[in-house]
Amino acid sequence: MSDSPTPIVRESYGRTAQSGLSSDDPGVHRVAQAFGYSAEELAAIPAEANMGLSCGNPLATANLRAGETVVDLGSGGGLDVFLAARKVGPSGRAIGIDMTPEMIELARRNAAKGYAGQAYENVQFLLGRIDQIPLPDASADVIISNCVINLAEDKEAVFAEMFRILKPGGRVAVSDIALKQALPSELAESIAAHVGCIAGAISPQDFQRGLSGAGFADIAIVDTGADLNSYALADGQAGCCTPSDMSSGASDESAGGLPVAGCCSSPPEGSPAKDGESSPPGLHRQLADLLRRYDVNAHAAAVRVFALKPTAGPKS
């Protein structure tokens, strides 16, 4: 991909933020549960915070404690931020960072709506890129992220920023996609596969090298064994893309005739939208077609990534 995919990623997820997707949709609910969220967790946050974009549950292994400051990189509608806020309590803070204005707006609306009619008082959502995190040095106890680092073009800058904002002794608990082997050129060069969290993924070895180079220690990368096809099995979803406009009328016979327009639904360049079709299925259909022809589980895996910032050392 010679051109930067970042603008398309931002546009695609911006469309998803405006889609109305939520845990109230059975397919979205199933995707979240398939990647580690309990029904109790999903019921304890605003439904619109979950849009089925996860590839794991970083909070399951973050071991958050009361009073801590946790930062979620690529926070979307606020799913992990709201769950983290409950764990760190009123003396702690949960901060979400996202580069998509529409996602920030959605997350802030969700925060104001709150849970059981009570607004969240210990959350904050900031517009920014995860390779240029808008927070001061040593301001976080924990960094979490959920299927977002693969979307970043400069991952070394992301790892360096993570190290910078963590306090000494701080920790990283990330869910993401990692490559088991090199992708076929069609997948590696596909913008649809990039937006779908596949083409931008790196190997566990590159995760290890990148985190170590940034200064992290005690790094562990664990294959969760999750079936990445779980996205497609739940109402025709593919990759970390989900149906973003259930009223668009676009459908795919392989998905049981269900809508497939989603976070990957920008049309190919030069392809106009059809009359009355609010969300053309271009990129999503491209990705769905790629996943039908390639076994994504043979090439990639959902992983948990752990790391610690040393309490002392050459980096600060």
Side-chain angles (χ1 to χ4, degrees):
M1 293 178 295
S2 57
D3 295 330
S4 169
T6 298
I8 294 178
V9 171
R10 184 184 291 112
E11 177 187 353
S12 298
Y13 284 93
R15 184 179 297 109
T16 300
Q18 297 174 325
S19 69
L21 278 177
S22 76
S23 284
D24 292 334
D25 179 274
V28 172
H29 198 276
R30 283 195 293 269
V31 168
Q33 286 193 294
F35 287 104
Y37 292 93
S38 68
E40 292 75 19
E41 285 176 315
L42 296 175
I45 59 171
E48 294 80 5
N50 170 38
M51 291 172 280
L53 304 177
S54 306
C55 61
N57 180 355
L59 295 174
T61 51
N63 297 315
L64 298 181
R65 297 184 288 267
E68 289 187 317
T69 295
V70 57
V71 176
D72 181 15
L73 303 184
S75 50
L79 168 61
D80 293 319
V81 171
F82 298 133
L83 290 174
R86 299 181 68 203
K87 292 180 179 292
V88 300
S91 61
R93 278 203 307 162
I95 303 170
I97 309 294
D98 204 287
M99 72 172 182
T100 309
E102 294 88 347
M103 283 292 186
I104 293 294
E105 292 172 11
L106 173 62
R108 288 173 177 168
R109 288 198 304 272
N110 287 333
K113 180 185 302 182
Y115 172 66
Q118 184 173 354
Y120 292 91
E121 300 292 343
N122 61 339
V123 305
Q124 183 180 15
F125 292 97
L126 301 175
L127 181 66
R129 294 168 56 116
I130 64 172
D131 57 1
Q132 301 173 9
I133 301 172
L135 289 172
D137 296 355
S139 56
D141 297 292
V142 186
I143 290 174
I144 60 174
S145 184
N146 198 338
C147 218
V148 171
I149 293 175
N150 67 80
L151 295 171
E153 294 181 71
D154 189 347
K155 293 173 179 60
E156 289 187 0
V158 174
F159 296 143
E161 281 290 88
M162 291 164 64
F163 192 92
R164 178 185 67 80
I165 70 165
L166 270 179
K167 300 174 184 178
R171 60 197 185 276
V172 170
V174 165
S175 294
D176 217 298
I177 302 293
L179 294 183
K180 298 177 181 178
Q181 58 179 309
L183 293 172
S185 59
E186 186 181 12
L187 279 176
E189 297 171 6
S190 167
I191 194 70
H194 186 98
V195 176
C197 307
I198 300 169
I202 58 177
S203 69
Q205 293 78 14
D206 286 339
F207 256 116
Q208 179 86 29
R209 282 190 288 268
L211 289 165
S212 178
F216 287 101
D218 298 320
I219 301 164
I221 300 157
V222 179
D223 185 340
T224 68
D227 181 5
L228 296 180
N229 288 317
S230 294
Y231 296 111
L233 292 173
D235 288 358
Q237 298 176 58
C240 61
C241 302
T242 60
S244 72
D245 187 349
M246 304 303 285
S247 63
S248 70
S251 65
D252 188 330
E253 290 181 2
S254 69
L258 294 167
V260 297
C263 70
C264 296
S265 60
S266 296
E269 184 176 355
S271 176
K274 297 177 182 178
D275 292 342
E277 186 178 77
S278 61
S279 186
L283 284 174
H284 190 285
R285 280 193 172 171
Q286 292 174 35
L287 180 60
D289 180 60
L290 289 172
L291 294 181
R292 278 193 293 269
R293 288 183 284 120
Y294 293 99
D295 179 7
V296 67
N297 288 310
H299 296 283
V303 296
R304 296 189 186 112
V305 180
F306 309 88
L308 294 177
K309 179 173 180 176
T311 55
K315 290 185 177 283
S316 60

